[in-house]
Amino acid sequence: MNTAHLHIPDYIIIISFLCITVYFGFRFSKKQKTTQSYFAANGKIPSWAIGFSILATLISSITFLAYPGEGYSSNWILLVQGMMVPIVLLSMIWFIVPLYRKVIGLSTYEYFEKRFGVFARYYSSLGFVLTHFSKMGTVFFLLALALANMTGVNTLIIISIIGVVIIILALLGGIEAVIWLDVIQGFMLFGCGIACLIIILYSVHGGPAEVWHIAKANGRTGFGPYNFDLKKLTFIVMAINGLFYGIQKYGTDQTIVQRYLTAKSDKSAIRASLMGVFLLVPVWALFMFIGTALFVYFKQNPLPAGIRADAIFPYFIVSKIPTGVVGLIIASLVSAGVCSLGADLNCLAAVGVEDYYKRFYPNRTDKEYLKAGRWIVLFAGIGSLLIAALYLNAGEEGVLGIVFTLYAIFSGGIAGIFLLGLFSARANQQGVTIGIIACIIFTAYAFLTSTKIGTGHEKFLLLDLGKYNFTHNKLMLGVYSHFVVIIVGYVASLFFPKPVIDKNLLYSGWYNIKKNQQ
């Protein structure tokens, strides 16, 4: 890749940002004396800062690189998932926030245990851990790929430097340092994205009107195909998947729920969530459209051979953007990865301490739990670096498609458990346990009968049942798994006694309180 426009000012800007990140870790390290401050910032973060933090947590380098890559190689269909999130959030955020702030200490999955027992808690928390390790590996992979191409620096060196910076930030500064760095990152990402889009649009002969004309003529606009086909990647597949993605992300994901706990009040947490999601969709759309504009630009200015879609945007940055601005954009890219990964490490440590360490080592001092959390941050950071190597052979499917697929697999049934727990007073521990087991069996069947392994042309199904193989799009696997839990879990619950439930764990409990306050 051409790195001619990466000069000393660019490197100074990038190195300065890395130093600022390390400073944030040391700056807030003195406040991290308890697990409550380390993982929840003692509930004192203003809502606007939490809103930016939610935005930063959900965008990462995947937004900066994979979304332009998808916009370049396809239309905007993968944006449909994100467009469903505001619908879910506006329906649920009003009672999810007060529920969690009232019934859990720190781990989201404490709710699952209170509602359905230990097995439900560990199934859901393990799904979170697996999902976020796969996501962290993706972010590291994309960062390493982009920075190696843009700077010419060895990929291993880049991974090591960025990894050390992220671990220092999360290890020393806790969630408070991550959140305030998120604020800076949010402004940087949005500003750089808009600047890049303007440059691309006016670098095309004919300007924005020509971009739209050529993109539309080449099938790069719209969200189709719109036919009702669950076997392919269609609008309906992404829309259904997006609804459950929104429920799971804002209702069961530790990285979001933990943000609720850092707010000063329920109202503050609700405002933060609404702000985060209504900033999120425009940012996703912005970077998807950058890919569309790049497709048109490189129609007029052919690319060198061998550049994959995920690397198109970095190539444009280093070959077409002026010196200094390149440094700001790359610093924004690094910032997106650092903030997202720092948040993931802190949340993984929170789950590790609350769901596992405290279970095996109860009644220890808070100081010991804080120390354990920091060790988990260290080992999780190193582990995510190793996982990044698994993405080197991403193939033609693209990293974003792989991320969505892994999310669908690892999150099997968790939104279903949550919905049963929230809305059904009849669902009980025994029934939901049976539902989870049925979900595991279904997920294993669907994955094994639809996923080929091997190298080159020598690929084969792990389990071939012929016409009984799972043939629907893999994103539907996650949707079906939630329905399996809901249907099997509810029906099985009818064979066991009706449970005695704390009303605070149910939607109806929140609704009755709200009704009595009016």
Side-chain angles (χ1 to χ4, degrees):
M1 181 178 289
N2 184 355
T3 58
H5 286 355
L6 205 63
H7 298 301
I8 291 177
D10 300 316
Y11 285 108
I12 291 174
I13 292 170
I14 297 166
I15 293 170
S16 296
F17 169 75
L18 292 174
C19 291
I20 290 171
T21 302
V22 173
Y23 165 77
F24 265 73
F26 283 101
R27 166 71 176 77
F28 288 96
S29 62
K30 295 178 182 179
K31 299 182 179 181
Q32 311 309 314
K33 303 299 183 183
T34 66
T35 53
Q36 187 63 23
S37 60
Y38 190 68
F39 294 123
N42 291 318
K44 62 180 183 180
I45 306 296
S47 59
W48 66 269
I50 299 172
F52 269 105
S53 182
I54 290 174
L55 170 69
T57 298
L58 294 178
I59 51 181
S60 76
S61 303
I62 294 174
T63 298
F64 210 108
L65 298 170
Y67 272 83
E70 292 294 338
Y72 175 86
S73 58
S74 182
N75 63 2
W76 307 326
I77 189 170
L78 292 184
L79 191 61
V80 174
Q81 185 192 65
M83 292 164 60
M84 296 296 107
V85 174
I87 298 173
V88 173
L89 192 68
L90 287 171
S91 304
M92 300 180 65
I93 197 66
W94 319 106
F95 54 88
I96 288 177
V97 165
L99 180 147
Y100 276 124
R101 287 176 59 88
K102 183 178 291 185
V103 304
I104 70 170
L106 184 60
S107 170
T108 307
Y109 312 105
E110 184 181 339
Y111 170 79
F112 288 77
E113 180 176 6
K114 288 183 175 181
R115 188 64 184 83
F116 294 124
V118 173
F119 181 67
R121 178 174 187 167
Y122 285 108
Y123 175 77
S124 54
S125 69
L126 182 61
F128 167 79
V129 170
L130 292 175
T131 300
H132 279 75
F133 262 118
S134 68
K135 175 208 165 186
M136 290 163 67
T138 305
V139 173
F140 265 119
F141 163 73
L142 287 171
L143 265 179
L145 175 71
L147 294 178
N149 285 333
M150 288 192 282
T151 64
V153 178
N154 181 272
T155 305
L156 185 60
I157 294 175
I158 290 174
I159 288 178
S160 300
I161 293 173
I162 300 296
V164 167
V165 169
I166 292 167
I167 291 171
I168 289 174
L169 174 69
L171 198 63
L172 298 180
I175 195 67
E176 191 170 3
V178 170
I179 287 176
W180 286 112
L181 192 63
D182 283 345
V183 173
I184 297 175
Q185 185 262 338
F187 283 110
M188 287 179 63
L189 187 81
F190 204 60
C192 289
I194 291 173
C196 287
L197 180 59
I198 292 172
I199 291 171
I200 298 168
L201 288 175
Y202 288 96
S203 296
V204 171
H205 301 304
E210 187 68 6
V211 169
W212 180 259
H213 174 73
I214 294 177
K216 189 174 182 180
N218 286 271
R220 290 305 191 274
T221 60
F223 306 96
Y226 299 100
N227 56 309
F228 194 89
D229 186 349
L230 301 181
K231 294 182 179 181
K232 298 178 181 178
L233 189 65
T234 60
F235 177 88
I236 190 66
V237 167
M238 288 304 298
I240 296 172
N241 181 269
L243 291 174
F244 281 94
Y245 169 82
I247 293 169
Q248 183 151 334
K249 202 69 184 173
Y250 282 85
T252 73
D253 194 299
Q254 179 71 20
T255 55
I256 301 299
V257 173
Q258 196 168 325
R259 295 302 193 282
Y260 304 157
L261 307 180
T262 64
K264 298 175 182 179
S265 65
D266 292 355
K267 288 183 178 179
S268 178
I270 290 170
R271 282 197 302 269
S273 300
L274 293 172
M275 174 186 171
V277 78
F278 283 108
L279 285 173
L280 181 66
V281 175
V283 170
W284 278 339
L286 169 66
F287 281 90
M288 189 71 82
F289 191 69
I290 283 174
T292 304
L294 285 172
F295 170 80
V296 177
Y297 176 83
F298 286 115
K299 268 277 192 183
Q300 299 178 348
N301 306 273
L303 276 167
I307 297 182
R308 53 183 289 158
D310 296 327
I312 297 293
F313 191 28
Y315 172 79
F316 180 86
I317 290 170
V318 298
S319 61
K320 306 298 178 183
I321 302 292
T323 301
V325 179
V326 174
L328 285 172
I329 293 172
I330 295 177
S332 179
L333 166 62
V334 175
S335 173
V338 167
C339 292
S340 177
L341 288 165
D344 282 338
L345 288 178
N346 186 275
C347 294
L348 281 169
V351 169
V353 170
E354 290 292 313
D355 290 355
Y356 297 94
Y357 194 84
K358 284 187 177 180
R359 180 75 63 178
F360 294 114
Y361 301 99
N363 304 318
R364 301 297 176 90
T365 64
D366 188 73
K367 185 177 180 180
E368 180 176 334
Y369 292 137
L370 177 60
K371 184 178 180 181
R374 285 185 159 137
W375 277 110
I376 293 171
V377 165
L378 178 62
F379 287 121
I382 294 171
S384 64
L385 297 178
L386 299 176
I387 290 173
L390 298 177
Y391 292 91
L392 292 176
N393 297 315
E396 295 180 358
E397 182 179 6
V399 172
L400 199 57
I402 289 176
V403 173
F404 285 173
T405 301
L406 288 175
Y407 196 93
I409 293 169
F410 291 148
S411 64
I414 295 177
I417 303 170
F418 178 69
L419 291 173
L420 268 181
L422 202 61
F423 294 108
S424 174
R426 186 63 184 84
N428 54 39
Q429 178 178 338
Q430 299 94 323
V432 169
T433 298
I434 294 171
I436 293 172
I437 294 171
C439 174
I440 293 171
I441 294 171
F442 167 76
T443 303
Y445 147 77
F447 179 72
L448 294 174
T449 60
S450 64
T451 305
K452 291 185 177 182
I453 63 169
T455 57
H457 297 291
E458 300 297 322
K459 293 185 178 182
F460 58 92
L461 289 173
L462 291 167
L463 177 64
D464 193 346
L465 299 178
K467 65 178 182 178
Y468 298 106
N469 287 342
F470 183 82
T471 57
H472 285 194
N473 188 279
K474 279 199 180 69
L475 295 186
M476 290 305 296
L477 192 160
V479 174
Y480 296 150
S481 67
H482 301 310
F483 280 118
V484 168
V485 169
I486 292 171
I487 296 170
V488 175
Y490 183 81
V491 172
S493 294
L494 300 177
F495 292 91
F496 298 93
K498 186 175 181 179
V500 178
I501 305 171
D502 178 355
K503 296 299 182 183
N504 289 322
L505 301 176
L506 297 168
Y507 166 79
S508 58
W510 169 85
Y511 180 76
N512 289 331
I513 292 173
K514 220 40 190 169
K515 198 163 131 184
N516 292 333
Q517 289 176 346
Q518 292 177 353

